């Protein structure tokens, strides 16, 4: 929607998803932790968050820092935090703040200075209003960051994922791949679609599914999450895309 702002180029990766509660925070944190363990100087950024107050450990900024093991201040990682459990644009409005893409990008400057690259977590999915005239997808395009899409593994995911892919492609966003997450899979419930979803998504999107995260008992703990992520998710395309941006200045 918003075309007026000069393109900013911030090295990094944008982690978006087909929905809220799909696994963006755990995926962003795991990627940051693993790349940092390999010596890459990446930070985390949650440009806007709503629904919780910083201090209780429940905000995405606090969870990103905790899970990735990065020592930074949640107020810097999430410069705009609104308590109302509403879509960011409305939550901001209720607090008397009219967000713009320019302000959102400017608020990330301390993080851009501090790290070589940023793993950015979006809010909700790509068609979530961030400002009066911009969706999350517009923000990703404005940042000129490549994206990964976190998608559920079960029934319904083909539709959500292909719509997300086509929306991002329309805006010229480079998509590195898709990470499937067994977020709602319970052992006792048989979902025969799961075996085929990744393959069909690859066929119709032309993109790579980088792997599938199994249902975890303790997804909120890095000791559980990170080894599983290493084992199940192909990180090379993400690593290469970020390294190329860092080297390209
Ligand atoms: N594979 C999984 N198995 C079990 N719980 C998961 C899994 N993936 C995510 N979760 C949990 O589901 C919730 C939503 O995940 P989160 O990463 O916060 O999603 P989002 O950032 O997209 O809203 C969190 O409590 C998280 O720990
Ligand atoms: Mg989140």
């Amino acid at each position: 929607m918003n075309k007026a702002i000069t393109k900013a180029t911030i090295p990094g990766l944008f982690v978006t998803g087909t929905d809220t509660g799909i696994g963006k925070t755990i995926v962003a944190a795991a990627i940051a932790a693993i790349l940092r363990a390999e010596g890459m100087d990446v930070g985390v950024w949650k440009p806007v968050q709503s629904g919780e107050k910083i201090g209780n450990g429940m905000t995405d900024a606090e969870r990103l820092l905790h899970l990735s093991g990065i020592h930074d201040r949640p107020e810097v990682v999430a410069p705009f935090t609104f308590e109302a459990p509403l879509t960011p644009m409305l939550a901001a409005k209720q607090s008397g703040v009219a967000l713009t893409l320019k302000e959102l990008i400017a608020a990330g400057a301390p993080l851009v200075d501090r790290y070589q690259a940023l793993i950015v977590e979006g809010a909700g999915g790509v068609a979530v209003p961030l400002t009066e005239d911009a969706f999350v997808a517009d923000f990703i395009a404005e940042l000129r960051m490549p994206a990964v899409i976190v998608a559920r593994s079960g029934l319904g995911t083909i539709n959500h994922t292909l719509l997300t892919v086509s929306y991002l492609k329309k805006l010229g966003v480079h998509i590195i791949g898709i990470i499937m997450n067994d977020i709602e899979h319970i052992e006792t419930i048989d979902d025969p679609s799961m075996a085929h979803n990744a393959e069909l998504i690859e066929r119709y999107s032309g993109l790579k599914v980088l792997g599938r995260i199994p249902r975890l008992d303790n997804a909120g703990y890095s000791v559980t999450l990170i080894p599983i992520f290493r084992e199940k998710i192909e990180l090379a395309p993400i690593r290469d895309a970020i390294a190329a941006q860092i080297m390209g200045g």
Side-chain angles (χ1 to χ4, degrees):
M1 284 193 260
N2 193 326
K3 295 272 180 289
I5 297 167
T6 317
K7 293 279 183 194
T9 304
I10 297 176
L13 170 77
F14 201 102
V15 178
T16 186
T18 54
D19 204 347
T20 190
I22 206 84
K24 296 183 301 294
T25 302
I26 67 155
V27 165
I31 293 171
I34 295 168
L35 293 180
R36 286 179 68 82
E38 293 175 358
M40 207 181 250
D41 178 29
V42 299
V44 285
W45 183 21
K46 176 83 188 183
V48 55
Q49 62 187 6
S50 51
E52 297 285 350
K53 191 175 173 178
I54 287 178
N56 65 7
M58 299 292 283
T59 62
D60 279 356
E62 289 163 294
R63 293 174 56 225
L64 283 168
L65 288 171
H66 175 73
L67 271 173
S68 65
I70 296 174
H71 297 285
D72 211 324
R73 293 196 305 120
E75 294 80 3
V76 176
V77 169
F80 295 100
T81 300
F82 305 103
E83 259 185 82
L86 294 168
T87 202
M89 188 265 285
L90 285 181
K93 213 171 173 177
Q94 257 194 11
S95 311
V97 180
L99 290 175
T100 65
L101 281 193
K102 209 171 172 174
E103 281 166 350
L104 283 174
I105 294 171
L111 294 169
V112 175
D113 288 346
R114 210 170 299 179
Y115 301 95
Q116 276 189 308
L118 297 174
I119 310 299
V120 190
E121 185 193 341
V126 292
V128 162
L130 269 190
T131 73
E132 286 288 343
D133 61 357
F135 287 136
V136 167
D138 298 298
F139 183 50
I140 307 174
E142 203 66 46
L143 289 169
R144 289 208 281 179
M145 269 188 187
V148 296
I149 299 167
V150 184
R152 71 166 58 83
S153 316
L155 201 60
T157 195
I158 298 178
N159 173 54
H160 293 152
T161 308
L162 295 181
L163 285 172
T164 301
V165 166
S166 77
Y167 200 105
L168 287 175
K169 279 186 175 170
K170 199 179 75 173
L171 292 177
V173 173
H174 172 65
I175 306 164
I176 296 174
I178 295 149
I179 294 177
M180 319 266 317
N181 189 8
D182 286 10
I183 181 94
E184 56 206 1
H185 183 57
I186 303 163
E187 225 63 73
T188 52
I189 297 177
D190 186 32
D191 179 347
S193 78
M194 280 194 177
H196 313 285
N197 288 337
E199 189 195 327
L200 291 174
I201 285 172
E202 286 193 331
R203 188 198 300 172
Y204 293 115
S205 69
L207 294 168
K208 203 169 165 42
V209 170
L210 302 172
R212 177 173 154 194
I213 308 170
R215 177 83 200 173
L216 303 168
D217 285 334
N218 286 307
Y221 292 90
S222 44
V223 282
T224 312
L225 174 67
I226 290 161
I228 291 282
F229 201 90
R230 272 205 174 98
E231 186 193 327
K232 304 282 184 188
I233 307 298
E234 195 188 332
L235 215 67
I238 293 174
R239 183 189 298 116
D240 293 350
I242 297 176
Q245 293 172 68
I246 293 173
M247 290 198 304

